[in-house]
Amino acid sequence: MSYIRFDKEQLINLEYSLPRELLRSNRAGAYASTTIINCNTRKYHGLLVTPQPGVDDDNHVLLSSFDETVIQHNAEFNLAIHKFEGDIYNPKGHKYIRNFTTDPIPKLTYRVGGVVLTKEILLAKNDDRSIIKYTLVEAHSPTRLRFRPLLAFRSVHSLSRSNVYADTRFEQIRNGIKIRLYNGYTPLLMQFSKKAEYTHVPDWYYNFEYIREKMRGYEAVEDLFAPGFFEMDIKKGESVYFSAGLEEINPTRLPKLFATEVNSRIPRNSFEACLQNSAQQYVVRRGDRTELLAGFPWFGRRGRDTFIALPGLMLTTGDEKTFTDVVDTMVADMNGPLFPNAGHGSKTIYNSADAPLWFFWALQKYSAYKGSVLATWKKYGTVMKSILNAFRAGTEFNIHMTVNGLLYAGEKGNSVTWMDAFIEGEPLLPRIGLPVEINALWYNAIMFALECAGKAKDSKFEKEWEPIARMIPEAFTKTFWDDRKAYLADVVNGDDKDWSVRPNMVFAASLDYSPLDEEKRKRLLDVVRSELLTIRGLRTLSPKDPVYHSVYAGNQASRDKACYQGTAWPWLLGHFAEAYLKIHGRSAIHEIEKLYNGFQDSITEHGIGSVSELFDGDPPHKPGGAISMAWSVAEILRMGALLTTYKSKFKVKEVAV
């Protein structure tokens, strides 16, 4: 039995099935995404979504949907489902679905009278190609299938409308057709594993409505183009393969290619396997460049997210090569001491003060994985030194070291920490001054560099930086700690101290080198546990705060307001777990394992088999944001690895949850 499965009652209940989404991406940067009943609810959904270098190199939806109709005795049964403007669903093919499984790939089973048809969908690993396998499991009469593709040919961030500019012509190819609606696009090639009759009747279908976009306050209605339809007979026990790709393929290869792709998948037969399967999906390889996407369906590469996610995604799964390939690509794209925070080429933004410090942390975890810091210093020591020296001297965004060794960052109109939401063009939380996590990371970076330099006998570096390292713990404690409150200020700027209870203080307890003594770390963790800890992550603000806003819903301004004012983020749990296990040891294992195992429920709620970007801060902790987020998956994986380490250390064989 599949680890993740849904039955008929769940699938025909649209309130249950439509919020649950599928995702598959590949190393070429393409993806396929829809809901578990194949009804698109986002402009980002599509069966083939690929980068288009001839347009803007961003992702574009080529094949939006692929509708199937079963024909018997001249009676037609349409298996598709679409939402149209005005709360209209047509057709309502979901009523024929009997079950859904995911191991190893998504599989829907339909029953129409005496007909049982299965549909399996996959995206090729290294090729911009979606393949759908249809199998007629049961039929008591001659059966015919009709397929109607619905095309978009537009950016994932926009919507299409009927127009006179679309090129409705097609070219016949082996067992299919080739079509390109607009200049600049790569043609879409649709082929079957056996000969299909194609009827060209170009037409527009109007007013598809995407309910997730409507809920998010965006335009939500579009028109899709149907070039025509394919028909073929199918026999009981027969399988037919459909391919939508950017290059022509020999149709006879499709069955073997499909089987090879399926066999290469990590089975989704357990919680851990689902996380490991999801961990692969953020990697994009183009030529000699390897990058991590921050999340799906709308995020691209982000420097901060890359370094936070790398250890959990790659080292817990043993993929050392991808780890170093990604780091090397990021280093090649540096601008002075800063890493790209978003964008590529001339559109690259470098406004992240913490990304360079997370770079040190990622290398720190890599060195522990390798069991040596010497090789790390040899390869990346020059980069590490350049970052520290530039931050000390002062660089963009007013990042500079103060006289007591702490790190100042930020300037008006910018947001350089991870809490970077903007409302009407202004940062929600500017956090200008001395952000607590920036300074915890700064101290950890210096100490790790000194550890590396010590092993490498780099006495010049040690002599230069040891005095700075020695004065930071006292300055950090004096600046951020309040003994009566028993926690750390979030941001300090001169005499102004922000005592909002936020999760940023947790890094002062989780990092390998902490500027705090053990007693203070224990006390701040008690506050974090009491006010911020939920089953789905750490809240970004205490519920006791008057501006606490925990529900992530509504238009962009409303969502951004909640983003860092109360929503819970899973990625923060990795650092809470690490800090809590360090302080409490054996007695912490039960609680951390309970949090870890609790995510088994979450991977069937939003992005199937993955972990969402964030959750509402209050029960029932509804998921929101991206359906699959790299650092969420990474830190849950790292929690699992930490538990394994601590259970082995204390010889704990089993913990009841």
Side-chain angles (χ1 to χ4, degrees):
M1 181 179 288
S2 176
Y3 175 71
I4 296 177
R5 63 184 295 116
F6 301 103
D7 59 30
K8 173 185 174 182
E9 285 68 29
Q10 293 168 323
L11 293 162
I12 64 175
N13 179 354
L14 296 183
E15 287 188 8
Y16 182 91
S17 57
L18 288 183
R20 290 164 166 81
E21 303 177 45
L22 301 174
L23 168 75
R24 190 73 210 181
S25 69
N26 68 12
R27 303 297 77 78
Y31 75 83
S33 183
T34 183
T35 61
I36 59 174
I37 58 171
N38 290 186
C39 177
N40 292 346
T41 59
R42 299 184 190 271
K43 61 188 175 186
Y44 299 95
H45 282 163
L47 293 179
L48 186 62
V49 185
T50 75
Q52 288 294 303
V55 182
D56 56 11
D57 209 24
D58 201 356
N59 279 329
H60 287 246
V61 180
L62 299 188
L63 178 62
S64 178
S65 301
F66 196 64
D67 292 4
E68 312 90 354
T69 301
V70 173
I71 305 171
Q72 273 195 342
H73 303 298
N74 295 320
E76 299 180 1
F77 305 90
N78 199 324
L79 307 185
I81 173 173
H82 299 289
K83 169 75 169 64
F84 290 93
E85 195 173 21
D87 203 29
I88 297 170
Y89 287 91
N90 184 56
K92 298 179 179 179
H94 66 297
K95 64 187 178 184
Y96 300 120
I97 303 176
R98 290 302 174 262
N99 62 65
F100 170 97
T101 59
T102 61
D103 188 21
I105 61 172
K107 180 179 180 180
L108 282 165
T109 300
Y110 297 86
R111 177 180 284 276
V112 182
V115 173
V116 177
L117 182 76
T118 61
K119 175 183 179 180
E120 300 170 77
I121 306 172
L122 67 75
L123 182 72
K125 189 174 182 179
N126 297 303
D127 181 21
D128 289 345
R129 185 182 308 281
S130 286
I131 306 175
I132 306 176
K133 176 184 178 182
Y134 296 95
T135 302
L136 188 61
V137 179
E138 192 64 61
H140 304 304
S141 306
T143 305
R144 192 166 177 83
L145 298 179
R146 177 184 298 149
F147 303 98
R148 188 183 304 276
L150 293 170
L151 312 182
F153 276 75
R154 48 88 177 161
S155 166
V156 291
H157 305 298
S158 62
L159 293 167
S160 69
R161 280 297 193 179
S162 64
N163 62 83
V164 298
Y165 305 106
D167 187 346
T168 63
R169 296 172 299 175
F170 76 100
E171 179 183 331
Q172 200 86 40
I173 57 175
R174 286 176 292 181
N175 294 359
I177 66 168
K178 174 181 179 180
I179 191 166
R180 181 178 70 172
L181 293 191
Y182 308 106
N183 289 333
Y185 277 90
T186 308
L188 176 65
L189 292 84
M190 295 179 283
Q191 299 174 268
F192 289 88
S193 56
K194 70 179 225 179
K195 187 172 179 57
E197 299 172 17
Y198 175 67
T199 302
H200 192 60
V201 281
D203 202 2
W204 287 94
Y205 283 56
Y206 299 95
N207 299 327
F208 293 85
E209 185 176 71
Y210 303 125
I211 57 176
R212 292 295 150 204
E213 303 307 321
K214 187 175 182 179
M215 291 168 63
R216 297 169 68 221
Y218 298 132
E219 291 186 17
V221 178
E222 84 166 335
D223 307 328
L224 295 173
F225 178 75
F229 59 88
F230 302 90
E231 283 191 0
M232 65 178 65
D233 294 324
I234 186 170
K235 297 178 181 178
K236 178 181 175 180
E238 184 181 5
S239 293
V240 174
Y241 300 80
F242 167 75
S243 162
L246 304 187
E247 294 182 356
E248 187 171 354
I249 190 171
N250 183 340
T252 62
R253 287 188 53 223
L254 286 173
K256 184 177 181 181
L257 175 60
F258 187 92
T260 301
E261 290 282 348
V262 170
N263 292 335
S264 70
R265 299 286 194 265
I266 296 175
R268 299 187 189 187
N269 55 11
S270 69
F271 174 51
E272 292 78 8
C274 284
L275 293 177
Q276 292 166 5
N277 187 298
S278 184
Q280 303 179 16
Q281 299 201 95
Y282 308 102
V283 180
V284 175
R285 297 185 186 276
R286 295 183 188 175
D288 59 354
R289 296 176 58 81
T290 305
E291 298 177 344
L292 279 187
L293 299 181
F296 289 96
W298 48 74
F299 286 115
R301 174 189 68 168
R302 301 203 303 190
R304 174 189 298 114
D305 300 51
T306 293
F307 294 125
I308 291 172
L310 267 178
L313 294 182
M314 300 306 150
L315 301 185
T316 66
T317 57
D319 193 352
E320 177 188 336
K321 184 179 187 305
T322 298
F323 181 101
T324 55
D325 287 348
V326 171
V327 170
D328 292 345
T329 299
M330 292 298 292
V331 168
D333 287 354
M334 290 179 74
N335 179 21
L338 301 177
F339 287 96
N341 194 34
H344 286 85
S346 61
K347 296 181 180 179
T348 305
I349 301 170
Y350 290 88
N351 61 334
S352 173
D354 53 337
L357 305 177
W358 284 114
F359 164 74
F360 282 81
W361 178 80
L363 293 181
Q364 194 173 26
K365 295 303 179 186
Y366 176 70
S367 299
Y369 174 84
K370 294 289 289 181
S372 171
V373 298
L374 206 55
T376 301
W377 188 250
K378 183 177 180 180
K379 185 173 183 180
Y380 300 109
T382 301
V383 180
M384 294 162 73
K385 289 178 183 180
S386 70
I387 293 170
L388 294 178
N389 289 333
F391 274 26
R392 178 179 60 180
T395 187
E396 291 184 75
F397 306 105
N398 203 13
I399 302 169
H400 65 273
M401 191 180 79
T402 61
V403 293
N404 59 1
L406 299 181
L407 196 65
Y408 188 102
E411 60 186 13
K412 184 174 175 55
N414 275 302
S415 184
V416 297
T417 73
W418 81 280
M419 292 185 163
D420 55 2
F422 278 72
I423 306 290
E424 296 180 354
E426 291 295 324
L428 175 67
L429 300 170
R431 303 187 73 227
I432 297 170
L434 305 170
V436 66
E437 81 281 10
I438 296 288
N439 280 278
L441 285 161
W442 170 243
Y443 177 68
N444 182 71
I446 294 170
M447 291 299 294
F448 175 60
L450 284 169
E451 178 189 347
C452 294
K455 291 289 185 181
K457 294 181 171 50
D458 189 338
S459 56
K460 180 182 177 183
F461 181 85
E462 290 179 287
K463 184 177 180 181
E464 187 178 356
W465 283 92
E466 278 179 349
I468 296 172
R470 281 196 297 269
M471 67 179 177
I472 289 177
E474 181 181 351
F476 184 93
T477 303
K478 183 178 180 181
T479 301
F480 293 101
W481 180 258
D482 183 287
D483 206 50
R484 182 178 59 83
K485 291 180 170 63
Y487 67 90
L488 297 168
D490 189 60
V491 184
V492 176
N493 195 351
D495 295 331
D496 295 330
K497 295 191 177 185
D498 180 359
W499 289 105
S500 303
V501 178
R502 296 188 181 277
N504 301 308
M505 68 177 98
V506 79
F507 304 111
S510 68
L511 298 171
D512 289 351
Y513 292 103
S514 171
L516 295 177
D517 61 48
E518 184 173 319
E519 178 59 24
K520 290 182 178 63
R521 282 182 276 143
K522 180 181 182 300
R523 293 176 70 189
L524 81 82
L525 284 175
D526 289 342
V527 173
V528 170
R529 184 173 178 272
S530 172
E531 299 190 36
L532 303 179
L533 181 63
T534 77
I535 62 170
R536 291 291 179 262
L538 297 187
R539 295 185 181 100
T540 44
L541 186 65
S542 168
K544 297 178 182 179
D545 198 290
V547 298
Y548 177 70
H549 186 108
S550 72
V551 178
Y552 188 80
N555 61 23
Q556 185 168 346
S558 179
R559 296 194 314 274
D560 286 346
K561 182 180 177 182
C563 206
Y564 304 117
Q565 300 286 56
T567 52
W569 292 69
W571 80 271
L572 297 167
L573 275 184
H575 286 272
F576 173 80
E578 187 167 17
Y580 205 69
L581 288 163
K582 283 178 179 177
I583 293 295
H584 296 283
R586 183 189 183 96
S587 64
I589 293 175
H590 170 78
E591 183 169 351
I592 300 304
E593 186 157 47
K594 188 175 181 180
L595 287 169
Y596 172 75
N597 286 327
F599 273 88
Q600 294 193 51
D601 295 332
S602 79
I603 65 171
T604 60
E605 294 175 342
H606 198 200
I608 302 305
S610 194
V611 186
S612 304
E613 180 182 4
L614 49 77
F615 294 80
D616 287 351
D618 294 328
H621 303 295
K622 186 178 178 181
I627 65 170
S628 178
M629 198 70 179
W631 62 11
S632 296
V633 172
E635 286 299 274
I636 302 305
L637 276 167
R638 207 167 65 84
M639 277 179 70
L642 284 166
L643 281 166
T644 299
T645 299
Y646 274 83
K647 287 165 73 173
S648 174
K649 177 180 178 180
F650 292 105
K651 297 181 172 56
V652 177
K653 294 183 179 179
E654 186 174 346
V655 178
V657 292

